Amino acid sequence: MWRGPGTPTDSFYEVRPECTDVPKTKFRIKAGRTLSPRKWHATFSPEGFLDIGKTLSRIHRGGIHPTIRGEVWEFLLGCFDPKSTYAERDQIRERRRAQYNVLKEECHQIFSLIGSGKFVTAPIISEEGDPILDPIVLQQMGDGDGNNPDMVKETDQRIIQWKLTLHQIGLDVVRTDRTLIFYEKQENLSKLWDILAVYAWFDKDVGYCQGMSDLCSPMIILLDNEGDAFWCFQHLMRRLRGNFRCTDQSVGVETQLTNLASVTQVIDPKLHQHLETLGGGDYLFAFRMLMVLFRREFSFGDSLYLWEMMWALEYDPNLFLSYEDPDSSTEISEGSKAGGKAIYQCGKYEREYLKNAGRSNEPPLPISVFLVANVLKEKSPKLLAEARGLDDVVKILNDVTGNIDARKACTGALKLHKKYLKKAQAAKKV
């Protein structure tokens, strides 16, 4: 039963008792505001059609109850069409699980630790394709004599590149959400490693990059089935994989950093000028916030609340149409989505874009850009008064960790977005 100002959600994502410096979750389950299991199930018709518009407004009011988070996220991320029936979704789910099992078996055939409940944290191969007979690797593989069929010279460049990432995935897995009791279990760590290893094989262009483990971890915790967690992560990556595209010349997230600079220049020209003077005009200090969607700036529970608020605000009913081919790892550009959407089924941020900027055919900026812009605006007086170098900027921004209210941040981002659109349109008329 819900009482008082709301039930805290930390009990759903228990922290190890020795981790005393973890920020407390501000998100509270509130009767009448949070999307409850009862309200969620009542939103479906007898056949299984979902009234997505009603669902989005409730998520925006008070987030999602932790017990149904995983299944709601599957809709928010476009895994399922709200206009599908229960039977159709069952078929899609079974097909996707089978596809994941095929992918996983393919990876297992190349490296037998995939799916074994174990993982590696030391390199297993050189860039030339020679096996590295490291005692740590042999121990992790449970192989004392080194006669493992995995330990052979590789000549296939794609296999070499994939095997080169496996120990990095392992190192990141043991660092990800290590304060949570959930990851005290070896089976949960290996599940995270398996999904990220399979994704690295599946996504030929991007493979694996640091930061992906932070994005994948909640999927493992919220969805019991490994195949479901994989596809939910894959749908999230369809939105974000551009952030991870790195070449010798540029970092994938640079586009968003450039957008952030443009927004700040319009919203707070004084701050933008100050940051440029300090040598921070590239806004690289905001890299992490945009790369892993504020996972490090919030407690675990609050970051999940922030994500679902963002996805509900940005929701486009044509998401499923865009993501219908689960074999594809290509991101969908916002401008290429199918038309004919009912505006009341869109999230509030998407509606604002359609009303104000949709005529220009320019793709909307992700709401995450305005969330960071809102953090900068909140810290603007302090940055202007105290920042005398980039180290000061980083220090002042690090102070926000554990101190941001997700709901207020989203409200602030929406206001900034409105203000930015007005100013940008006024500038065009001049």
Side-chain angles (χ1 to χ4, degrees):
M1 186 178 172
W2 291 334
R3 302 174 189 276
T7 310
T9 55
D10 283 336
S11 58
F12 290 94
Y13 316 112
E14 289 183 85
V15 171
R16 287 155 57 182
E18 67 272 24
C19 301
T20 52
D21 59 344
V22 177
K24 289 275 185 283
T25 297
K26 293 181 169 61
F27 172 52
R28 296 284 185 270
I29 300 165
K30 294 181 180 175
R33 294 181 74 83
T34 303
L35 178 63
S36 66
R38 186 178 64 80
K39 289 277 186 192
W40 168 243
H41 296 305
T43 318
F44 290 91
S45 73
E47 300 81 14
F49 303 124
L50 172 66
D51 184 343
I52 191 73
K54 194 180 285 184
T55 304
L56 297 174
S57 58
R58 190 167 288 276
I59 294 169
H60 187 227
R61 278 205 302 276
I64 302 168
H65 194 281
T67 55
I68 53 167
R69 216 165 222 155
E71 54 190 284
V72 182
W73 278 24
E74 287 182 302
F75 283 93
L76 290 180
L77 290 170
C79 297
F80 297 120
D81 186 350
K83 298 191 286 293
S84 59
T85 64
Y86 290 124
E88 286 166 341
R89 290 196 290 278
D90 286 343
Q91 285 176 355
I92 291 169
R93 184 173 270 119
E94 289 310 311
R95 189 181 78 236
R96 284 186 184 149
R97 287 176 180 178
Q99 283 174 316
Y100 175 69
N101 289 336
V102 168
L103 279 167
K104 190 175 176 183
E105 179 56 29
E106 200 179 325
C107 293
H108 175 74
Q109 293 301 322
I110 304 169
F111 189 63
S112 63
L113 249 61
I114 304 292
S116 70
K118 299 175 184 175
F119 57 91
V120 289
T121 55
I124 59 169
I125 198 168
S126 73
E127 292 191 4
E128 290 74 38
D130 296 307
I132 297 175
L133 300 174
D134 187 310
I136 297 172
V137 173
L138 296 175
Q139 184 186 356
Q140 288 173 334
M141 296 182 71
D143 182 8
D145 57 14
N147 296 323
N148 192 302
D150 286 317
M151 310 305 277
V152 294
K153 183 172 176 65
E154 290 290 354
T155 54
D156 184 314
Q157 274 308 308
R158 188 182 169 207
I159 291 176
I160 292 171
Q161 286 309 310
W162 179 67
K163 281 190 168 183
L164 284 169
T165 67
L166 294 180
H167 79 282
Q168 184 59 60
I169 295 173
L171 289 170
D172 290 346
V173 159
V174 294
R175 288 191 287 245
T176 301
D177 293 324
R178 63 187 178 277
T179 60
L180 298 180
I181 286 176
F182 180 84
Y183 283 116
E184 286 184 336
K185 287 186 179 174
Q186 171 77 16
E187 66 191 85
N188 293 329
L189 291 170
S190 59
K191 191 191 278 192
L192 181 57
W193 186 72
D194 282 344
I195 287 180
L196 291 167
V198 173
Y199 183 83
W201 179 252
F202 167 79
D203 190 338
K204 301 176 186 68
D205 296 332
V206 174
Y208 176 78
C209 300
Q210 281 187 286
M212 287 184 185
S213 59
D214 292 292
L215 300 174
C216 186
S217 171
M219 309 305 176
I220 309 273
I221 293 170
L222 300 181
L223 293 155
D224 293 332
N225 183 278
E226 193 176 311
D228 296 345
F230 174 85
W231 290 114
C232 205
F233 171 63
Q234 187 262 346
H235 276 71
L236 175 57
M237 283 303 299
R238 291 281 289 269
R239 291 171 165 218
L240 298 176
R241 67 196 288 275
N243 284 357
F244 295 92
R245 283 184 180 281
C246 295
T247 65
D248 293 338
Q249 288 78 38
S250 68
V251 183
V253 82
E254 263 180 27
T255 306
Q256 287 199 50
L257 294 171
T258 305
N259 290 333
L260 175 62
S262 303
V263 168
T264 308
Q265 193 169 11
V266 170
I267 299 295
D268 193 339
K270 206 178 203 178
L271 176 62
H272 177 73
Q273 184 56 55
H274 183 56
L275 292 170
E276 284 218 311
T277 306
L278 298 178
D282 53 13
Y283 283 68
L284 275 171
F285 53 80
F287 179 90
R288 192 180 70 184
M289 291 183 193
L290 289 169
M291 192 77 159
V292 292
L293 295 182
F294 289 88
R295 273 300 316 272
R296 312 287 172 83
E297 281 68 38
F298 287 84
S299 68
F300 183 80
D302 280 344
S303 64
L304 305 194
Y305 176 46
L306 177 76
W307 286 8
E308 63 206 19
M309 292 268 283
M310 288 165 62
W311 300 336
L313 289 167
E314 287 183 308
Y315 186 80
D316 175 344
N318 291 317
L319 263 180
F320 177 76
L321 298 176
S322 304
Y323 295 168
E324 204 165 8
D325 174 14
D327 286 323
S328 170
S329 58
T330 310
E331 71 259 36
I332 302 297
S333 72
E334 299 287 333
S336 68
K337 293 173 184 172
K341 64 189 84 175
I343 198 163
Y344 74 92
Q345 292 180 324
C346 294
K348 196 171 180 181
Y349 181 83
E350 176 75 4
R351 287 203 304 269
E352 197 63 43
Y353 160 71
L354 288 172
K355 280 189 289 187
N356 290 280
R359 305 177 207 96
S360 68
N361 287 326
E362 289 175 17
L365 299 179
I367 196 171
S368 51
V369 168
F370 290 94
L371 279 162
V372 180
N374 186 59
V375 169
L376 293 178
K377 180 176 166 288
E378 295 284 316
K379 291 289 178 184
S380 184
K382 198 172 174 68
L383 287 165
L384 289 167
E386 298 176 22
R388 293 290 167 265
L390 283 180
D391 287 349
D392 296 333
V393 173
V394 172
K395 187 176 180 300
I396 290 165
L397 291 179
N398 280 344
D399 288 345
V400 305
T401 302
N403 295 316
I404 312 175
D405 182 294
R407 183 172 165 73
K408 282 180 185 168
C410 281
T411 305
L414 281 174
K415 283 179 182 169
L416 275 193
H417 177 236
K418 216 171 202 174
K419 187 176 175 183
Y420 173 73
L421 288 175
K422 276 183 185 168
K423 287 198 169 190
Q425 282 168 355
K428 278 180 188 174
K429 288 174 186 173
V430 173

